[in-house]
Amino acid sequence: MSRQVQDADERRLARAETLIAAAFLGPWLLGLVVFTLGPILVSLLLAFTDYDLNGMPNWIGLDNFREMFFEDPRFWRSVRATAVYVGFSVPAILVFSLAVAIVLNRGSRMMPVYRVLIYMPSLMGSSVAVAILWRQVFGREGLLNAALAPLGLAGGSWIGSPSTAIYTLIALSVWAFGSTMVIFLAGLRQIPAEYYEAARIDGAGPVRQFFHITLPSLSPVMFFNAIMVTVHCFQAFTPSYVVSQGTGGPVDSTLLYALYLYDKAFRQLDMGYASAMAWLMLAVLAMLTGLFFATSRYWVHYGER
Amino acid sequence: MANAEQISEPGVAQRLLFSRSTVAKKLAFHGPIVVLIVALLYPMLWLVGASFAPGSSAVGSLPILPERATLDNYRDGWAGVGNIGFSTYFVNSMAISLISIVGNLFSCTMAAYAFARMEFPMKRTLFALLLLTILLPNQVTVIPQYIIFNALGMVNTYGPLLIPKFTAVDAFYTFLLVQFIRGIPQSLDEAARIDGCGHARIFFWIILPLCLPALATTAVFTFIYSWNDFLGPLLYLNSPDLYTVPLGLSQFMDATGRSMIGSLFAMSVLSLVPLVVIFAVAQRLLTTGIATTGAK
Amino acid sequence: MTLPTFAPVAAAAQEQELSGSIRFSWYGGTVRNQKIDEMVALFEDRHPGATIEQEPMDWMAYWERLSVQAAGDNMPCLVGMLPFNLPDYASRNLLLDMQPLVDEGMIDLSEISDSLIEASRTRDGALLMLPYGAAPDTITYNATLVEEAGLEVPGDGYTWDDYFDWLASSQEHLPNGVWAADNPTNNPDLLLAYIGSHGYQAFDDEQLGFPRELLIAWFQEWADLAEMGAVIPPDMLSEEPGPHEMSYFAEGRALASNRPANAQPALHSGVAQSGSDARLETLLYPLGPEGVGDFVPVNSLSIAASCKNLPLAAAFADFFLNDPEAAAIFVSDNGAVTNAALLAEQIADPETPEGSRILLEVFEAVNERGSVPQIFPSGFQTRFTEVHRRMIMEVFFGSLTPEEAADAFFAEAEQ
């Protein structure tokens, strides 16, 4: 009897909590239903059609995927370019931005100025001027070759050679590492100072403090950054769009997956194929994110525990 | 300020200010940072220099300072077309970016709080859905979304750029805030709950103040992203008097006629100014973390 | 028909009916937008009840936006169009057949040459574009370099062989860091002319209309030139900026380049900005076994099938094409004015800038010797122009032989 009352109470409480949660989630749910869910479902359906923005789509089953895997050499080139891009950019951005964030987290009068200056490249976005800037640095007559010339190492254009062009894009993504750094910085600032005080009293040095306080406390943010940087690099579009002037050249060496997808959707007007590519990307990313989440219990420590 | 100053013990540092080892230490610390900054900033400094060079004459020359300096690029670029000067684009971009900040802060914090601190049915499914909207390349949802906004009669208004912000369509920020809120020790709001606080009060009086750095991050990123966004304004704004700065910039370069490269540089430099100001202001907020507020 | 009587009559006939507004979208940069803004002001002055809502956008973004607008059923009434892109819109029934408007006298095409109008029609005779600015491609060469190196320019009636020989033999006379040729794929026109002058069409319905051997020969010619160092190295070509002003050719690093005649003003300003006083001159394209093969792309206007205010759209299009005052503002900003009377006027006008004058003279000369109309399939830009651009780089970098490049070209173009 009393247990039933207790259950009923809990249910009433849970129902109240659900209602409040619905209020908190309201704006997002509204946006999801009105603006997001429909287009997502449409794109999923289109992945199995030949929709070319002309009239009605025809159902063609798995043909788009078959074409991708077996008949489209450019698809595989875009996969390769993206793999190289992701493989180098993700670790480079994460390590670099964490290192700089830790340095910039120290107290010094110059730090606010340093932070602003280091963040500057991230403000450039995908402005058309970026293409010209990158040519100034990595072009045949750019800064890098000018610096290498005295060493006798200057070669051709870094942007214009198929073997090096993708690395100039990786450099571009690392150049704008500021966003990731800022998130790390915000995370570092969230670590209670008492933790460090307690550690110092226990006689822990900087290295032990880093591994026993900084890293665990930062792990939710690290988790977020790792996922977002990975997703962001997989979906990278603007670096290649801007630097190669939309072509993905030279000879498809910077044809990132998202650029090829865009090319299919908006230039070749093959929306069915583009949708298929998008959902394949989604599947890969969902698997990777799932992996991140599955392993998170071993290395991500939330304050809620 | 924060823990770092407590660690470095300013009194000791000041006493040793002039000792040789401190100077060497300072140099070892600041030297690499300055070198890094110079390397990172060369392209931008070059851009500033080039914006004062006549026409496209700076292109291809490495020095930062142009041989001949002129303000023509700024004058011509600012003038714009007809009665629509570049100032119009600045005002438009500023309005969109600031309202976007309000929208994202409003909608994303609420959704994030629910996911981080509340229990409700289908939570995992909804969270998976949230992540899904981040993972799907947006190129394929552009056209269906355009059709929705067109049906709502909102094309050629700021509606399609602003309304999604108030409905947390940018799941990135929600996810970011979820991670930050989950990082806040739960003991703090449990104490409040025992004192009889409901979710609304915990949200406003405990969680929001504690994740100020994350809110500042959200605000800064939202501003930068909205300011630099090209595709959204391109698709949804048709009239030049509604155009934003990036659309204005793209008009300086055209493959089928005369380009104004110098003006492109000049206006690119100007377009960075609000971003630098916003970041410089907001970064003070970034440094006031739980380290100070949480200790109260 | 003489000018003084023609314009007022047309205007008077329409004056009382025009009201409401239309949206007008075109591709261009600030300079062109300024001119069109003035033209619109002039038109609205004459027709107080009418409004033209301007929607300018630069070339690349323009097509991106238009394809989304088309898919979302929200196209502007009047849109800029080019023969290369027309099929993408024609095949989806998005454009209005304007022949009835011409028949009713709402749009006057009497001063525009029949060949241009015929080239603007689809296979079944519908008139989907109004040609306003002809942009024939030319071989533009740096006359100052020619003089300094003591070279001779190919004479009238020169052939493709003459042209390739000239490029090859010039290289050894050019200073270090200057090459005979630059990227032959800045646009599809040079290859189209090569195909046309051999008596073929680029496309025969959905299939390529020329033999594989012809394409192999084309790639081979360029591979040979590249191998002897007569073409700008491929890594440099890959990083060449898009605008004509910033091209290697404008910087004086290439002897000759195929450039649309409407690029002349930009090229001239580019030469000036690079601090050089080099003189640029033009040659009509080489001849092939079947004579002239030029295809003349004409910047055009189309009316969307969904347009609700046809009288206004037609009146403004007519104004854009034929009005002397409008033409005096635009001064052939996007290709030579197609109205013959206005063309003669602009050539005679001493105030026409040098770059524009070359454009007008080239167009006159091309018009005189004739051109080869082509019918393109939908997706032409990606199936032909873009594939060509990639394949020539594959050949230059040596990653594909001319044969392999031709095979890949055929595989991608014939979907």
Coordinates of all heavy atoms in Angstrom, one line a residue, chain C residues 299-357:
Chain C
N299 N 26.1 36.6 -73.7 CA 25.4 36.8 -72.5 C 24.0 37.3 -72.8 O 23.8 38.1 -73.7 CB 26.1 37.9 -71.7 CG 27.5 37.4 -71.2 OD1 27.6 36.5 -70.4 ND2 28.5 37.9 -71.8
S300 N 23.0 36.6 -72.2 CA 21.6 36.8 -72.6 C 20.7 37.0 -71.4 O 21.1 36.9 -70.2 CB 21.2 35.6 -73.3 OG 22.0 35.3 -74.4
L301 N 19.5 37.3 -71.7 CA 18.4 37.5 -70.7 C 17.4 36.4 -70.9 O 17.0 36.2 -72.1 CB 17.8 38.9 -70.7 CG 18.7 40.1 -70.4 CD1 17.9 41.4 -70.5 CD2 19.2 39.9 -69.0
S302 N 16.9 35.8 -69.9 CA 15.8 34.9 -70.0 C 14.7 35.3 -69.1 O 14.9 36.0 -68.0 CB 16.2 33.5 -69.6 OG 17.1 33.0 -70.6
I303 N 13.4 35.0 -69.4 CA 12.3 35.3 -68.6 C 11.8 33.9 -68.0 O 11.7 32.9 -68.7 CB 11.1 35.9 -69.3 CG1 11.6 37.3 -69.9 CG2 9.9 36.1 -68.5 CD1 10.5 38.1 -70.6
A304 N 11.7 33.9 -66.7 CA 11.2 32.7 -66.0 C 9.8 32.3 -66.4 O 9.0 33.2 -66.6 CB 11.3 32.9 -64.5
A305 N 9.5 31.1 -66.6 CA 8.2 30.6 -66.9 C 7.2 31.0 -65.9 O 6.0 31.2 -66.1 CB 8.2 29.1 -67.1
S306 N 7.7 31.2 -64.6 CA 6.8 31.5 -63.5 C 6.5 33.0 -63.4 O 5.8 33.5 -62.5 CB 7.4 31.0 -62.2 OG 8.7 31.6 -62.1
C307 N 7.1 33.8 -64.3 CA 7.0 35.3 -64.2 C 5.5 35.8 -64.3 O 4.8 35.4 -65.2 CB 7.8 36.0 -65.3 SG 7.8 37.8 -65.2
K308 N 5.1 36.6 -63.3 CA 3.7 37.1 -63.3 C 3.5 38.4 -64.0 O 2.4 38.8 -64.2 CB 3.3 37.2 -61.8 CG 3.4 35.9 -61.0 CD 2.2 35.1 -61.2 CE 2.1 33.9 -60.2 NZ 3.4 33.2 -60.0
N309 N 4.6 39.1 -64.3 CA 4.4 40.5 -64.8 C 5.2 40.5 -66.2 O 6.2 41.2 -66.3 CB 5.0 41.5 -63.9 CG 4.6 42.9 -64.3 OD1 4.2 43.2 -65.4 ND2 4.7 43.9 -63.3
L310 N 4.6 39.8 -67.2 CA 5.3 39.7 -68.5 C 5.4 41.1 -69.2 O 6.5 41.3 -69.7 CB 4.5 38.8 -69.4 CG 4.7 37.3 -69.1 CD1 4.1 36.4 -70.2 CD2 6.2 37.0 -69.1
P311 N 4.5 42.0 -69.1 CA 4.7 43.2 -69.8 C 5.9 44.0 -69.3 O 6.7 44.5 -70.1 CB 3.4 44.0 -69.5 CG 2.4 43.0 -69.2 CD 3.1 41.9 -68.6
L312 N 6.0 44.0 -68.0 CA 7.2 44.7 -67.5 C 8.5 44.0 -67.8 O 9.5 44.6 -68.2 CB 7.0 44.9 -65.9 CG 8.1 45.7 -65.2 CD1 8.3 47.1 -65.8 CD2 7.7 45.8 -63.7
A313 N 8.5 42.7 -67.6 CA 9.7 41.9 -67.9 C 10.1 42.1 -69.4 O 11.3 42.4 -69.7 CB 9.5 40.4 -67.6
A314 N 9.1 42.1 -70.3 CA 9.4 42.2 -71.7 C 9.9 43.6 -72.0 O 10.9 43.9 -72.7 CB 8.2 41.9 -72.5
A315 N 9.3 44.6 -71.4 CA 9.7 46.0 -71.6 C 11.1 46.3 -71.1 O 11.9 47.0 -71.8 CB 8.7 47.0 -70.9
F316 N 11.4 45.8 -69.9 CA 12.8 46.0 -69.4 C 13.8 45.3 -70.3 O 14.9 45.8 -70.5 CB 12.9 45.7 -68.0 CG 14.2 46.0 -67.4 CD1 14.5 47.4 -67.1 CD2 15.2 45.1 -67.1 CE1 15.7 47.8 -66.6 CE2 16.4 45.5 -66.6 CZ 16.7 46.8 -66.3
A317 N 13.5 44.1 -70.7 CA 14.4 43.3 -71.5 C 14.7 44.1 -72.8 O 15.8 44.2 -73.3 CB 13.9 41.9 -71.8
D318 N 13.6 44.6 -73.4 CA 13.7 45.4 -74.6 C 14.6 46.6 -74.4 O 15.4 46.9 -75.2 CB 12.3 45.8 -75.1 CG 12.4 46.5 -76.5 OD1 12.7 45.8 -77.5 OD2 12.1 47.7 -76.5
F319 N 14.3 47.3 -73.3 CA 15.1 48.5 -72.9 C 16.6 48.1 -72.8 O 17.5 48.8 -73.3 CB 14.5 49.0 -71.6 CG 15.4 50.0 -70.9 CD1 15.3 51.3 -71.2 CD2 16.2 49.6 -69.8 CE1 16.0 52.3 -70.5 CE2 16.9 50.6 -69.1 CZ 16.8 51.9 -69.5
F320 N 16.9 47.0 -72.2 CA 18.2 46.5 -71.9 C 18.9 46.2 -73.2 O 20.1 46.5 -73.4 CB 18.2 45.2 -71.1 CG 19.5 45.0 -70.3 CD1 19.6 45.4 -69.0 CD2 20.5 44.3 -70.9 CE1 20.7 45.2 -68.3 CE2 21.7 44.1 -70.1 CZ 21.8 44.5 -68.8
L321 N 18.2 45.7 -74.2 CA 18.8 45.3 -75.5 C 18.9 46.5 -76.5 O 19.9 46.5 -77.2 CB 17.9 44.2 -76.2 CG 18.4 42.8 -76.0 CD1 18.3 42.3 -74.6 CD2 17.5 41.9 -76.9
N322 N 17.9 47.4 -76.5 CA 17.8 48.3 -77.6 C 17.9 49.8 -77.2 O 18.1 50.6 -78.1 CB 16.5 48.1 -78.3 CG 16.4 46.7 -78.9 OD1 17.4 46.2 -79.5 ND2 15.3 46.0 -78.7
D323 N 17.8 50.1 -76.0 CA 17.7 51.6 -75.7 C 19.0 52.2 -75.8 O 20.0 51.8 -75.2 CB 17.1 51.8 -74.3 CG 16.8 53.3 -74.1 OD1 15.7 53.7 -74.5 OD2 17.6 54.0 -73.6
P324 N 19.1 53.3 -76.6 CA 20.4 54.0 -76.8 C 21.0 54.6 -75.5 O 22.2 54.5 -75.3 CB 20.1 55.1 -77.8 CG 18.7 54.8 -78.3 CD 18.0 53.9 -77.4
E325 N 20.1 55.2 -74.7 CA 20.6 55.8 -73.5 C 21.1 54.7 -72.5 O 22.1 54.8 -71.8 CB 19.5 56.6 -72.8 CG 19.3 57.9 -73.4 CD 18.3 58.7 -72.6 OE1 18.6 59.1 -71.5 OE2 17.2 58.9 -73.1
A326 N 20.4 53.6 -72.4 CA 20.8 52.5 -71.6 C 22.1 51.9 -72.1 O 23.1 51.7 -71.3 CB 19.8 51.3 -71.6
A327 N 22.3 51.8 -73.4 CA 23.5 51.3 -74.0 C 24.7 52.2 -73.7 O 25.8 51.8 -73.5 CB 23.3 51.0 -75.5
A328 N 24.4 53.5 -73.7 CA 25.4 54.5 -73.4 C 25.9 54.4 -72.0 O 27.1 54.7 -71.7 CB 24.9 55.9 -73.7
I329 N 25.1 53.9 -71.1 CA 25.5 53.7 -69.7 C 26.3 52.4 -69.6 O 27.4 52.3 -69.0 CB 24.3 53.6 -68.7 CG1 23.6 54.9 -68.7 CG2 24.7 53.2 -67.3 CD1 22.2 54.9 -68.0
F330 N 25.8 51.3 -70.2 CA 26.4 50.0 -70.1 C 27.7 49.8 -70.8 O 28.6 49.1 -70.4 CB 25.3 48.9 -70.6 CG 25.5 47.6 -70.0 CD1 25.5 47.4 -68.6 CD2 25.8 46.5 -70.8 CE1 25.7 46.1 -68.1 CE2 25.9 45.2 -70.3 CZ 25.9 45.0 -68.9
V331 N 27.8 50.5 -72.0 CA 29.0 50.4 -72.9 C 29.5 49.0 -73.0 O 30.7 48.7 -72.7 CB 30.1 51.4 -72.4 CG1 30.9 51.9 -73.6 CG2 29.6 52.5 -71.6
S332 N 28.7 48.1 -73.4 CA 29.1 46.7 -73.6 C 29.9 46.1 -72.5 O 31.0 45.6 -72.7 CB 30.0 46.7 -74.9 OG 29.2 47.1 -76.0
D333 N 29.4 46.2 -71.3 CA 30.1 45.8 -70.1 C 30.3 44.3 -70.0 O 31.2 43.7 -69.4 CB 29.4 46.3 -68.8 CG 30.3 46.0 -67.6 OD1 31.2 46.8 -67.3 OD2 30.1 45.0 -66.9
N334 N 29.3 43.6 -70.7 CA 29.4 42.1 -70.6 C 29.3 41.5 -72.0 O 28.4 40.8 -72.3 CB 28.3 41.6 -69.7 CG 28.6 40.2 -69.2 OD1 29.7 39.7 -69.3 ND2 27.6 39.5 -68.8
G335 N 30.2 41.8 -72.9 CA 30.2 41.4 -74.2 C 29.7 42.5 -75.1 O 29.1 43.5 -74.7
A336 N 30.0 42.4 -76.4 CA 29.7 43.5 -77.4 C 28.2 43.6 -77.5 O 27.5 42.6 -77.6 CB 30.3 43.2 -78.7
V337 N 27.7 44.8 -77.5 CA 26.2 45.1 -77.7 C 25.8 44.4 -79.0 O 26.5 44.5 -80.0 CB 25.9 46.6 -77.6 CG1 26.7 47.3 -78.7 CG2 24.4 46.8 -77.7
T338 N 24.7 43.7 -78.9 CA 24.3 42.9 -80.1 C 23.4 43.7 -81.1 O 23.3 43.3 -82.2 CB 23.4 41.7 -79.7 OG1 22.4 42.1 -78.8 CG2 24.3 40.7 -78.9
N339 N 22.9 44.8 -80.6 CA 22.1 45.7 -81.5 C 23.0 46.4 -82.5 O 23.9 47.1 -82.1 CB 21.4 46.7 -80.6 CG 20.5 47.7 -81.4 OD1 21.0 48.3 -82.3 ND2 19.3 47.8 -81.0
A340 N 22.8 46.1 -83.8 CA 23.8 46.5 -84.8 C 24.0 48.0 -84.8 O 25.1 48.5 -84.9 CB 23.4 46.0 -86.1
A341 N 22.9 48.8 -84.7 CA 23.0 50.3 -84.7 C 23.8 50.8 -83.5 O 24.6 51.7 -83.7 CB 21.6 50.9 -84.7
L342 N 23.5 50.2 -82.3 CA 24.2 50.6 -81.2 C 25.7 50.2 -81.2 O 26.6 51.0 -80.8 CB 23.6 50.0 -79.9 CG 22.2 50.4 -79.6 CD1 21.6 49.7 -78.4 CD2 22.1 51.9 -79.4
L343 N 26.0 49.1 -81.8 CA 27.3 48.6 -82.0 C 28.1 49.6 -82.9 O 29.2 50.1 -82.5 CB 27.4 47.3 -82.7 CG 28.7 46.7 -83.0 CD1 29.5 46.3 -81.7 CD2 28.6 45.4 -83.9
A344 N 27.5 50.0 -84.0 CA 28.2 51.0 -84.9 C 28.4 52.3 -84.1 O 29.5 52.9 -84.2 CB 27.3 51.3 -86.1
E345 N 27.5 52.7 -83.3 CA 27.6 53.9 -82.6 C 28.8 53.9 -81.6 O 29.6 54.8 -81.5 CB 26.3 54.2 -81.8 CG 26.0 55.6 -81.5 CD 24.6 55.7 -80.9 OE1 23.6 55.9 -81.7 OE2 24.5 55.6 -79.7
Q346 N 28.8 52.7 -80.9 CA 29.9 52.6 -79.9 C 31.3 52.5 -80.5 O 32.3 53.0 -79.9 CB 29.6 51.4 -78.9 CG 28.5 51.7 -77.9 CD 28.3 50.5 -77.0 OE1 29.1 49.6 -76.9 NE2 27.1 50.6 -76.3
I347 N 31.4 51.9 -81.7 CA 32.7 51.8 -82.3 C 33.1 53.2 -82.8 O 34.2 53.6 -82.7 CB 32.6 50.9 -83.6 CG1 32.4 49.4 -83.1 CG2 33.8 51.0 -84.4 CD1 32.4 48.4 -84.1
A348 N 32.1 54.0 -83.3 CA 32.4 55.4 -83.8 C 32.7 56.3 -82.6 O 33.5 57.3 -82.8 CB 31.2 55.9 -84.6
D349 N 32.2 56.1 -81.5 CA 32.3 57.0 -80.3 C 33.8 57.1 -79.9 O 34.3 56.1 -79.4 CB 31.4 56.5 -79.2 CG 31.4 57.6 -78.0 OD1 32.3 58.5 -78.0 OD2 30.5 57.4 -77.2
P350 N 34.4 58.2 -79.9 CA 35.8 58.3 -79.5 C 36.0 58.1 -78.0 O 37.1 57.9 -77.6 CB 36.2 59.7 -79.9 CG 34.9 60.5 -80.0 CD 33.9 59.5 -80.4
E351 N 34.9 58.2 -77.3 CA 35.1 58.0 -75.8 C 35.0 56.6 -75.3 O 35.2 56.3 -74.2 CB 34.0 58.9 -75.1 CG 34.4 60.3 -75.1 CD 33.3 61.2 -74.4 OE1 32.6 60.6 -73.5 OE2 33.3 62.4 -74.6
T352 N 34.7 55.7 -76.3 CA 34.7 54.3 -75.9 C 36.1 53.9 -75.4 O 37.1 54.1 -76.2 CB 34.3 53.4 -77.1 OG1 33.0 53.8 -77.5 CG2 34.3 51.9 -76.7
P353 N 36.3 53.3 -74.2 CA 37.6 52.9 -73.8 C 38.3 51.9 -74.6 O 37.6 51.1 -75.3 CB 37.4 52.4 -72.3 CG 35.9 52.6 -72.0 CD 35.2 52.9 -73.3
E354 N 39.6 51.9 -74.6 CA 40.4 51.0 -75.5 C 40.0 49.5 -75.3 O 39.8 48.8 -76.3 CB 41.9 51.2 -75.1 CG 42.8 50.3 -75.9 CD 42.8 50.5 -77.4 OE1 42.2 51.5 -77.8 OE2 43.3 49.7 -78.2
G355 N 39.9 49.1 -74.1 CA 39.5 47.6 -73.9 C 38.2 47.3 -74.5 O 38.0 46.3 -75.2
S356 N 37.2 48.2 -74.4 CA 35.9 47.9 -74.9 C 36.0 48.0 -76.5 O 35.3 47.2 -77.2 CB 34.9 49.0 -74.4 OG 34.9 49.0 -73.0
R357 N 36.8 48.9 -77.0 CA 36.9 49.0 -78.5 C 37.4 47.7 -79.1 O 36.8 47.2 -80.1 CB 37.8 50.2 -78.8 CG 38.0 50.3 -80.3 CD 38.9 51.5 -80.7 NE 38.6 52.7 -79.9 CZ 37.5 53.4 -80.1 NH1 36.7 53.2 -81.2 NH2 37.3 54.5 -79.4

